Amino acid sequence: MIPGPIEVDPAVLRAMGEVTTSHIAPNFIESFGNALKLMRKIWLAPKGQPFIIAGSGTLAMDMAVSNLIESGDNALVISTGYFGERYKNILATYGANVTVLQAEIGETVSLEKIEVELSSKDYKLLTITHVDTSTGVLTDPKAIAALAQKYNTLSIVDGVCATAGEETQQETWGIDVVLTGSQKAIGVPPGLALLVASEKAINVWKNRTTPVQNYYGSFTNWLPIMQAYEERRPSYFGTPPVNLIRALEVSLDLINTEGIENRVATHITYAKAFRKAVQAIGLQLVPKTNDIAANTMTAIYYPEGIDGNSFRKDISEYGVILAGGLHAEIKTKYFRIGHMGAITKSDIVATLSAIESALQKQNYNFEFGKSVGIFLSSLA
Ligand SMILES: *Cc1c(COP(=O)(O)O)cnc(C)c1O
């Protein structure tokens, strides 16, 4: 129950275990081409250009920026935690003039502040962390992308803890890049960087006046490969991770069969019920209000007097694994629970039971069993 890598569907694991074929074997070309096609559907970006590259989510962040930024361009980072900080560092690496709008811990940056900043100078692009995994704060990419369009600024959404779990309509909302890694809500073991670029983003990349300052992640190297696989032609730049891509095809197919809207709706239903349950036993979330709390994960403060390390150790004895803190300023004060992908009600019930048992062991004062009851009755 950590916010990635998540547990994956058995069908996805079985696909990982299939025979490793050549990267130009007809069955693999078919899988790769199909995975690209499915990404467009799940990203809701029928005209977008998908990329599937061996690497982690950070590579997708790196690719989005390195292909669009030229040295000296202005870039705006809307930061709600740890991964906003990472975007600042990536942008600085490519010579961007970076401005960071930093939210207080557990809050978002207001649209007013973003608009004031966008109107103050020409920004080439802005970055949004859809769900910052260090705070569990959910940002509204729709409203921010609309502002970006108004000021002719490209928008990049780091969806690593969101895509396929939080609502994202890339094309309708006018987002230029939506990126993720395979091991979060997409539901595949770690190892794939995934991104979809808008037609506008591809045009900005084509019209660069300086070369991309990144060899492995350059669209120049990868765009022809993606196009070839979609047209079912053999092609090579760097050997694709064939087993992972086959597993991705299976997972995307499962999501597509369920329907991305349904998949997102289930995340919302479970997350709402889960928040209600933990709040009913007096626990406080890191996000200041429920409307900016993520639906893929939850970040919760330890109550006064609870020792975090023993709490998480006791929980693990129930077969539940939670994550500790990630945000430097509050690292030891909170814990994180992932509830994305192929999660079931029973997984959440088991988690709540473990949390309650561990709290009771440290004499936390609450009504034992209450959170489980609240969770189940909210779903009924
Ligand atoms: C996990 C995560 C990343 C980094 O992904 P890696 O696969 O670990 O490189 C980036 N952004 C967010 C929001 C994440 O949750």
Side-chain angles (χ1 to χ4, degrees):
M1 301 297 290
I2 65 170
I6 67 165
E7 278 198 52
V8 310
D9 193 284
V12 175
L13 274 188
R14 281 196 297 276
M16 283 291 292
E18 288 174 11
V19 169
T20 303
T21 60
S22 156
H23 60 289
I24 54 167
N27 60 337
F28 177 67
I29 293 178
E30 181 55 36
S31 284
F32 202 146
N34 193 34
L36 290 163
K37 188 190 81 188
L38 286 166
M39 274 177 73
R40 280 205 189 81
K41 286 194 170 179
I42 285 154
W43 266 244
L44 298 173
K47 296 199 288 274
Q49 175 59 54
F51 291 85
I52 301 172
I53 316 284
S56 80
T58 305
L59 175 69
M61 294 173 75
D62 184 275
M63 283 181 67
V65 155
S66 60
N67 283 284
L68 298 176
I69 276 287
E70 297 188 57
S71 186
D73 285 343
N74 296 321
L76 181 62
V77 172
I78 297 156
S79 176
T80 41
Y82 183 91
F83 290 105
E85 181 68 20
R86 175 165 298 185
Y87 240 146
K88 181 185 90 182
N89 296 334
I90 295 173
L91 282 156
T93 303
Y94 295 106
N97 296 320
V98 192
T99 303
V100 179
L101 288 176
Q102 180 68 57
E104 298 289 318
I105 294 174
E107 291 179 18
T108 52
V109 179
S110 74
L111 288 174
E112 292 72 28
K113 270 196 185 153
I114 298 170
E115 180 147 24
V116 166
E117 196 52 50
L118 285 175
S119 60
S120 74
K121 58 182 165 204
D122 262 352
Y123 277 103
K124 176 76 157 284
L125 61 81
L126 61 75
T127 70
I128 306 160
T129 315
H130 198 165
V131 169
D132 199 297
T133 320
S134 71
T135 54
V137 166
L138 176 69
T139 310
D140 177 8
K142 184 184 181 185
I144 300 173
L147 272 183
Q149 282 181 305
K150 180 171 167 192
Y151 291 93
N152 199 23
T153 297
L154 296 167
S155 52
I156 295 177
V157 171
D158 169 358
V160 184
C161 195
T163 308
E166 301 285 358
E167 188 185 11
T168 318
Q169 300 186 26
Q170 180 171 0
E171 210 156 291
T172 317
W173 295 354
I175 306 170
D176 292 296
V177 178
V178 175
L179 64 93
T180 189
S182 51
Q183 78 277 19
K184 301 209 184 159
I186 292 286
V188 176
L192 293 176
L194 306 170
L195 67 92
V196 176
S198 69
E199 286 180 303
K200 189 169 153 204
I202 294 292
N203 283 331
V204 167
W205 160 74
K206 277 189 183 149
N207 293 322
R208 293 176 64 100
T209 55
T210 58
V212 173
Q213 296 300 301
N214 177 343
Y215 180 72
Y216 180 71
S218 170
F219 288 174
T220 318
N221 291 325
W222 288 114
L223 183 60
I225 308 300
M226 300 304 134
Q227 288 167 337
Y229 276 107
E230 260 207 291
E231 292 160 13
R232 309 297 193 265
R233 285 187 283 113
S235 177
Y236 169 74
F237 168 62
T239 308
V242 296
N243 295 64
L244 272 171
I245 292 176
R246 169 69 186 128
L248 174 70
E249 181 195 16
V250 170
S251 192
L252 293 176
D253 197 44
L254 287 171
I255 298 170
N256 189 48
T257 304
E258 181 180 340
I260 182 65
E261 291 81 4
N262 297 330
R263 174 65 68 115
V264 167
T266 304
H267 279 78
I268 295 172
T269 305
Y270 287 179
K272 266 192 184 156
F274 183 72
R275 285 193 292 268
K276 219 171 148 187
V278 294
Q279 286 169 334
I281 55 167
L283 301 184
Q284 193 200 328
L285 306 189
V286 175
K288 296 260 166 73
T289 55
N290 283 341
D291 60 320
I292 55 162
N295 298 298
T296 49
M297 62 163 290
T298 301
I300 304 174
Y301 285 110
Y302 298 116
E304 264 317 294
I306 297 294
D307 177 78
N309 288 334
S310 350
F311 170 82
R312 287 201 320 284
K313 188 171 156 288
D314 291 339
I315 279 180
S316 71
E317 278 163 23
Y318 288 85
V320 175
I321 301 168
L322 305 182
L326 177 62
H327 195 295
E329 283 170 52
I330 53 170
K331 206 172 168 59
T332 58
K333 299 197 172 113
Y334 76 114
F335 62 103
R336 298 173 301 142
I337 298 139
H339 34 79
M340 57 188 131
I343 219 83
T344 66
K345 286 175 230 184
S346 312
D347 295 327
I348 299 179
V349 167
T351 304
L352 287 168
S353 313
I355 289 174
E356 287 206 359
S357 303
L359 288 173
Q360 196 187 43
K361 197 167 166 198
Q362 293 194 41
N363 302 317
Y364 175 63
N365 184 21
F366 71 113
E367 185 189 321
F368 194 63
K370 188 169 182 187
S371 76
V372 176
I374 296 274
F375 178 73
L376 291 173
S377 56
S378 329
L379 292 184

